[in-house]
Every structure is written in C-alpha cells, then in structure tokens.
Amino acid sequence: MHRFRNILLVAAAGLCALGGVLWFAFALGASAPVETEHGDDGAEADSARDPSAKARRHKSVRVRERSRVREASAAERARPDLADALSDDEVKMSPKFRALLAEIQSALDADDWKKTVALVQKLQDMDEWPDGIPDALQKAAIAALRWFGSKTAPELVGFLGSEDSEVYGDALDAMMDALSDFDIGDSERSSLLLGYLKVVKDADAISTMLFELNNMRPTVRAETALAIFESGNEVAINALMDELGFYFGDLDIDVSDKAGLEKYLEAARQMYKDDPELAESDKELYGGSDALKDD
C-alpha cells in the first residue's frame, strides 16, 4: 500500500512541478533583457539599486501567464459522474448508501457546494466510518468535493485516515487541487497550507505542497515560511530548509535559515512601503479570482 501511495504522490508532484517550472522561467526571466536580445545593462543596474524594479517589469507577464493557466485548467475540468460507484456491490446492496450517493450527485449537479459538504459530513458521521464505508462511495464523495476546490478542503482531510491506498491518494490529489485553486488569494492559500501541515507528515506530499509558496507575494510567502518553522512539523521544516534558496532567492538576501528569512520579510515589507504601486499590483496579482477579473 505504501509503495502505491508513493506512486500517487509522485504523480501529484509531477502535476505541481509545472508550477515550479513556470516559476523558474519567471525567475530566470527576471535577469533577462527586456528589449534587447543580448542584455540591458541599464535595466540590470536599476534592478541592483531597486529590487522592486525587477518585479514591476515582469508583473504583466506573470498576470498573463497566471490567467492563461487558470483558463486552461478550467477548460479541462468536467463535472464528475458518480454513477460508477453504483456498480460496487457494497453500495448496490445498501439502500442507505445508494440514497446518499444519489443525494451527493444531485447536489453536485446543482453546483451546491454547501449541500455537498453537508452530505459528506453526514457520511463521515456514520457509525460505519471510515472502515465500514465502501471505498467506491468514499472515492465518489472525494470526486464531488474536488469539483468545488478549496471550499471543501476540511472535509477532504477526513479521508486521509483511509487504509485504502486509492482513497488516500484521491484525497491527497484533491487536497493538492484545492491548495492550487486559482480562485483563492495568497492569504487563504497560506492558511490552507498551514492547516494541511497540521495533519500531513509525508515528505513527498509536503514537498509538493510547498510549491504553492510560489503563488504568494514575498511578504505572505515569508510569513508562511516562518509559521512553518513554528508549526512543530519537523518533516515540513526540513523540507523547507532544503529549499529556502529556491523560494527566497529573489531579493538578493542570503536566506539559509530562520534568521535570514526574518531579514527577507523585513526587506519585502520595506520594498512595498517604498513602492506602493508594486504593493498594489502584487496584491492584485496574488489576490485570487476577484483580482484577476480586474486585469
């Protein structure tokens, strides 16, 4: 089971790695010329004097890329059909399970996330939970929750207790989707990540989740990392320590430990204080779907 679970986690990491690749492209692009092919010494000098200049020049590129990826992701989504669960013998033989499955499908078809959450909570409150609930019904419930993104994240966590590797893997994949939901802003993404780290101890899963630091403005990213250091999750702390240079290499500050991270946060706050225009643009960039509508 653990071997299969690791395979699922690697697959999830592969999907999220695309975000890391895009981030690298932006980081490398930050030192690339804006108007000439072989370099722009003036632009580089401006960046050295003013770290915010580099971020401001590439803001429009990041906005366009973020919008494009969001639109592509939405286009690929299809509302799940839970009918396959009815072919499961345990579901088929139980009027109670069949009825609950039909209710979940109805709520899903009506795009009613609150009712869907209530029905999944009803499932998780059953005396049979978790081991007595058919795996097919649990996977159907996860698929329904996954459709609604970050709104259903707390209920997804409940499925991590399953001993079935497929249920566990589906729940973890759905949690990853919720964490990378383009509709949420970086503050909510930060809260969601920190909430996950209270229950997730798998190193591979945590490393994948940490990619979402890239979808936070520098101040929120640093505040989130500092909170991870205080979380007590040693697996997460070690994973973050291994990648501090990757996540915090954009302000020409040596970030190799917590003290360096505190200096980074101070510098990021000062950068926004000195450049209100950049502060506002980054707020829009990382502010979720509402901010993207205004771009």
Side-chain angles (χ1 to χ4, degrees), residues 167-216:
V167 171
Y168 176 93
D170 283 359
L172 192 59
D173 285 347
M175 290 168 62
M176 300 287 192
D177 279 358
L179 186 60
S180 61
D181 188 346
F182 280 99
D183 286 335
I184 63 176
D186 57 354
S187 294
E188 186 177 352
R189 198 181 314 280
S190 171
S191 297
L192 191 55
L193 173 60
L194 294 174
Y196 282 171
L197 294 181
K198 293 179 180 179
V199 294
V200 177
K201 308 298 180 182
D202 186 288
D204 290 335
I206 288 173
S207 293
T208 301
M209 290 177 178
L210 290 181
F211 272 114
E212 290 305 319
L213 289 169
N214 294 322
N215 284 325
M216 302 176 195

Side-chain angles (χ1 to χ4, degrees), residues 39-147:
D40 187 336
D41 294 338
E44 291 300 320
D46 288 343
S47 294
R49 290 191 299 268
D50 179 8
S52 70
K54 179 169 64 176
R56 185 166 54 251
R57 288 201 310 276
H58 294 276
K59 187 259 183 180
S60 61
V61 176
R62 298 200 308 271
V63 169
R64 288 197 301 273
E65 183 62 24
R66 185 175 168 88
S67 298
R68 184 191 66 77
V69 173
R70 180 174 184 268
E71 290 168 1
S73 177
E76 292 174 358
R77 297 182 69 203
R79 192 184 303 273
D81 183 353
L82 311 181
D84 285 349
L86 288 173
S87 63
D88 180 83
D89 289 339
E90 290 184 81
V91 176
K92 189 188 308 181
M93 298 298 292
S94 170
K96 177 172 64 175
F97 291 153
R98 288 202 315 270
L100 183 57
L101 178 63
E103 286 186 274
I104 294 175
Q105 182 71 70
S106 178
L108 178 62
D109 292 340
D111 216 28
D112 189 337
W113 71 269
K114 290 183 178 180
K115 186 173 181 180
T116 300
V117 166
L119 290 169
V120 174
Q121 290 174 344
K122 179 180 177 181
L123 174 70
Q124 293 174 335
D125 287 339
M126 287 182 173
D127 293 337
E128 296 91 340
W129 178 264
D131 297 334
I133 304 296
D135 293 341
L137 182 55
Q138 293 192 51
K139 293 177 70 175
I142 292 170
L145 294 174
R146 188 174 189 170
W147 172 258

Side-chain angles (χ1 to χ4, degrees), residues 131-295:
D131 297 334
I133 304 296
D135 293 341
L137 182 55
Q138 293 192 51
K139 293 177 70 175
I142 292 170
L145 294 174
R146 188 174 189 170
W147 172 258
F148 295 105
S150 61
K151 296 184 181 72
T152 61
E155 286 68 38
L156 288 169
V157 172
F159 291 94
L160 292 182
S162 174
E163 294 185 357
D164 183 86
S165 58
E166 291 190 10
V167 171
Y168 176 93
D170 283 359
L172 192 59
D173 285 347
M175 290 168 62
M176 300 287 192
D177 279 358
L179 186 60
S180 61
D181 188 346
F182 280 99
D183 286 335
I184 63 176
D186 57 354
S187 294
E188 186 177 352
R189 198 181 314 280
S190 171
S191 297
L192 191 55
L193 173 60
L194 294 174
Y196 282 171
L197 294 181
K198 293 179 180 179
V199 294
V200 177
K201 308 298 180 182
D202 186 288
D204 290 335
I206 288 173
S207 293
T208 301
M209 290 177 178
L210 290 181
F211 272 114
E212 290 305 319
L213 289 169
N214 294 322
N215 284 325
M216 302 176 195
R217 78 196 85 171
T219 48
V220 176
R221 191 188 329 138
E223 290 165 353
T224 304
L226 285 170
I228 292 174
F229 274 112
E230 300 297 331
S231 68
N233 186 333
E234 293 300 325
V235 179
I237 293 171
N238 291 335
L240 179 61
M241 280 291 294
D242 289 341
E243 299 293 343
L244 278 177
F246 172 76
Y247 293 117
F248 299 96
D250 54 324
L251 294 186
D252 299 322
I253 293 175
D254 179 24
V255 182
S256 56
D257 53 19
K258 184 179 177 182
L261 192 55
E262 290 171 343
K263 292 179 180 178
Y264 177 99
L265 176 57
E266 182 180 354
R269 287 172 173 169
Q270 187 63 45
M271 177 179 71
Y272 285 149
K273 183 177 179 180
D274 294 341
D275 192 342
E277 180 182 347
L278 177 64
E280 184 61 28
S281 68
D282 274 3
K283 180 180 179 181
E284 294 174 0
L285 174 61
Y286 297 103
S289 59
D290 291 339
L292 286 171
K293 292 175 184 177
D294 298 330
D295 290 331

Side-chain angles (χ1 to χ4, degrees), residues 15-25 211 214 246:
L15 292 175
C16 290
L18 174 60
V21 171
L22 291 175
W23 187 91
F24 265 117
F211 272 114
N214 294 322
F246 172 76

